[in-house]
Amino acid sequence: MEEREVRLSKLEQLKQLGIDPFGVVIRDVVPISKVRQASDGDNFSVMARVTSIRQHGKLTFADLKDFTGRLQISFRKDVLGDKYDFFKKFIDVGDVIYVRGSVYHTGRGELTLDVEDFRLQSKCLRPLPEKWHGVKDPEVRYRQRYLDLIIDDDSRERFRKRADIIKAIRELLWSKGFVEVETPILQPIPSGASAKPFVTHHNALDIDLYLRIAPELYLKRLVVGGVHKVFELGKNFRNEGIDQNHNPEFTMLELYQTPGDYEDMMRITEDIFSAAAQVSGAAECVSFKGMTVNLSRPFKRLTFKEAFKHIANLDWSDLDTLEKATAVMKANGIEMTKTPTWENIIQKLFDELVQPHLVDPTFVLDYPVEISPLAKRKPDDPRFVYRFELFVAGMEMANAFSELQDPFDQKARFEEQMKLKEQGEEEVILMDEDFVVALEYGLPPTGGLGVGIDRLVMLLTEAENIKDVIWFPTLRPKSTEAVVEITELDQ
């Protein structure tokens, strides 16, 4: 008889005995992490999943796991009597049980809870993957995250750290006087970033709406309205490809501060990284995708032009026209997939020749105005703007501006973007007339910042794929029959 059939048989036997195989609520329980801080003789009640059982006649050891850790427990025939036999007959690896008992240390020094009473809380009807092999197929890990969390301690720890990082960022911003808000996820105009949106239709209003690609324009409206320090930490959606660093649904932090500029945003960015690193337990140097990354502050700074000069050995005079930039692109064997405008080529050259070499945290400052439609111009050279991007281990981690306040300049830049759209460019920042009207009421000097939370968690937990830090990443659909059965996994 296959193991699942054995478990189904046990389920029926339990019902015949009048025992509820899915338990009743018992509330006097604590997380395993609290038990692990205890002293011998302390009494606790725990509810957790059985992940291993080791029987030795009239003494049985088992391991329990919850989201906070692992705990060894012991069952003794002389303490439990007939309940000991019930445990041996009916409890399987994977079952969720309630246990009550006192803490002691074994001869080998292992902290253990000596069980004085227990109850079945939920019968597991499918066998778990064998613990030494676990869920080896990444597709199964991502599609059946619950299995991944049950079996893989490292995965569970990554997600615990993710929660701690998000909490620490929120607490940092609250301590600085920022107000947390919620802006629309369904938007009539998908603007605020250069990206292709997801579209849906609202039947009652008979209009198309778009999943937001960025909350930026709404948050700056709030600054105009007098909310001088504001942030949102939530989901954005971009209809783009999927790879190790990209997922169509991702978590972003965006914040705005007045008075403020991109210098203030650099300081806040360093504060955010420090707070996140501290709660995640990351060392000053972390290993990521074969690179050693030094997270000590202050972070390095290079202007956009200096980055090309120092890393790609290209003077700005080699790049400042469409003809020159095209020649450099061809000389390096780089192919364009977007419209070959100067701004697209410059961005592509940066992505290919500069970005992969930015390993330690580096602020790249002062971008060309053509690729920064929402940032304030530098008065000493209006061809460039007050903007930075932060790069770590070759990944873009943050983007920030001294925000554009001039409504006429902003409208003109929107119009330039719309011309690109008419020429066939898909990823442009769309005109938002109401946002221009809001600027006419007066946006004070403002600094704005966006930080990719998923990539920050990747870095601090040394996860090489963004799917490993997103609870439920976007995947190609599979039929029900195609989902891997647990019984097919290594036993």
Side-chain angles (χ1 to χ4, degrees), residues 73-132:
I73 58 176
S74 61
F75 296 83
R76 290 186 291 146
K77 172 73 173 177
D78 60 343
V79 172
L80 295 169
D82 291 343
K83 274 200 166 186
Y84 183 81
D85 299 323
F86 176 90
F87 177 89
K88 293 183 68 174
K89 181 175 181 180
F90 287 107
I91 302 300
D92 295 304
V93 170
D95 289 353
V96 179
I97 64 173
Y98 162 89
V99 295
R100 174 176 55 80
S102 60
V103 170
Y104 72 101
H105 284 79
T106 66
R108 295 183 177 181
E110 174 77 12
L111 183 141
T112 305
L113 185 77
D114 189 37
V115 177
E116 298 166 5
D117 191 18
F118 73 91
R119 297 184 191 178
L120 179 62
Q121 293 283 275
S122 187
K123 187 66 185 169
C124 178
L125 301 179
R126 293 178 181 266
L128 298 181
E130 199 276 322
K131 68 176 183 177
W132 302 114

Side-chain angles (χ1 to χ4, degrees), residues 240-250 288-289 291 355 392-397 452 454-455 458-459 463-467 469-470:
E240 59 188 13
I242 298 175
D243 60 29
Q244 286 193 335
N245 297 335
H246 293 85
N247 192 69
E249 176 183 356
F250 59 98
F288 184 74
K289 296 186 178 182
M291 296 171 276
Q355 182 174 328
V392 186
M395 290 193 301
E396 178 198 344
M397 305 291 289
D454 305 313
R455 292 182 185 178
M458 283 176 66
L459 175 70
E464 295 193 359
N465 194 314
I466 198 169
K467 293 185 179 72
V469 300
I470 295 176

Side-chain angles (χ1 to χ4, degrees), residues 239-393:
N239 200 346
E240 59 188 13
I242 298 175
D243 60 29
Q244 286 193 335
N245 297 335
H246 293 85
N247 192 69
E249 176 183 356
F250 59 98
T251 303
M252 281 286 294
L253 165 70
E254 283 211 22
L255 64 87
Y256 294 84
Q257 171 184 315
T258 184
D261 61 12
Y262 79 158
E263 291 283 349
D264 296 292
M265 297 302 102
M266 280 184 257
R267 287 189 285 271
I268 289 177
T269 302
E270 290 180 339
D271 289 343
I272 288 169
F273 270 66
S274 293
Q278 183 175 352
V279 298
S280 69
E284 190 171 86
C285 289
V286 299
S287 177
F288 184 74
K289 296 186 178 182
M291 296 171 276
T292 299
V293 181
N294 187 342
L295 296 175
S296 60
R297 54 193 302 182
F299 296 165
K300 296 179 181 178
R301 297 187 183 194
L302 287 173
T303 67
F304 193 75
K305 291 191 288 187
E306 288 171 343
F308 273 107
K309 177 61 178 175
H310 297 329
I311 295 172
N313 197 29
L314 289 167
D315 289 319
W316 192 246
S317 60
D318 300 325
L319 302 165
D320 59 2
T321 68
L322 176 59
E323 293 75 15
K324 293 177 183 178
T326 301
V328 171
M329 181 180 68
K330 290 180 178 179
N332 285 275
I334 297 171
E335 296 183 0
M336 285 293 297
T337 55
K338 293 185 178 181
T339 307
T341 60
W342 178 81
E343 50 266 40
N344 282 345
I345 292 173
I346 283 295
Q347 185 66 65
K348 184 69 172 178
L349 290 174
F350 183 90
D351 294 345
E352 296 288 333
L353 302 179
V354 177
Q355 182 174 328
H357 304 284
L358 299 172
V359 176
D360 290 338
T362 303
F363 293 119
V364 177
L365 319 173
D366 305 342
Y367 280 63
V369 66
E370 290 87 349
I371 59 175
S372 310
L374 299 169
K376 191 172 185 175
R377 293 180 192 263
K378 293 177 69 70
D380 57 340
D381 190 347
R383 297 173 303 169
F384 296 87
V385 297
Y386 291 110
R387 175 191 178 188
F388 75 74
E389 289 185 293
L390 174 67
F391 296 92
V392 186

Side-chain angles (χ1 to χ4, degrees), residues 415-460:
E415 289 170 347
E416 288 298 318
Q417 291 284 298
M418 298 309 291
K419 289 178 184 177
L420 292 173
K421 184 173 178 63
E422 291 169 2
Q423 295 169 12
E425 185 67 56
E426 289 188 323
E427 296 184 1
V428 298
I429 299 182
L430 297 181
M431 171 72 79
D432 187 331
E433 292 279 4
D434 181 71
F435 176 67
V436 175
V437 170
L439 291 183
E440 291 190 13
Y441 282 94
L443 175 71
T446 299
L449 168 67
V451 178
I453 297 300
D454 305 313
R455 292 182 185 178
L456 176 58
V457 176
M458 283 176 66
L459 175 70
L460 296 178

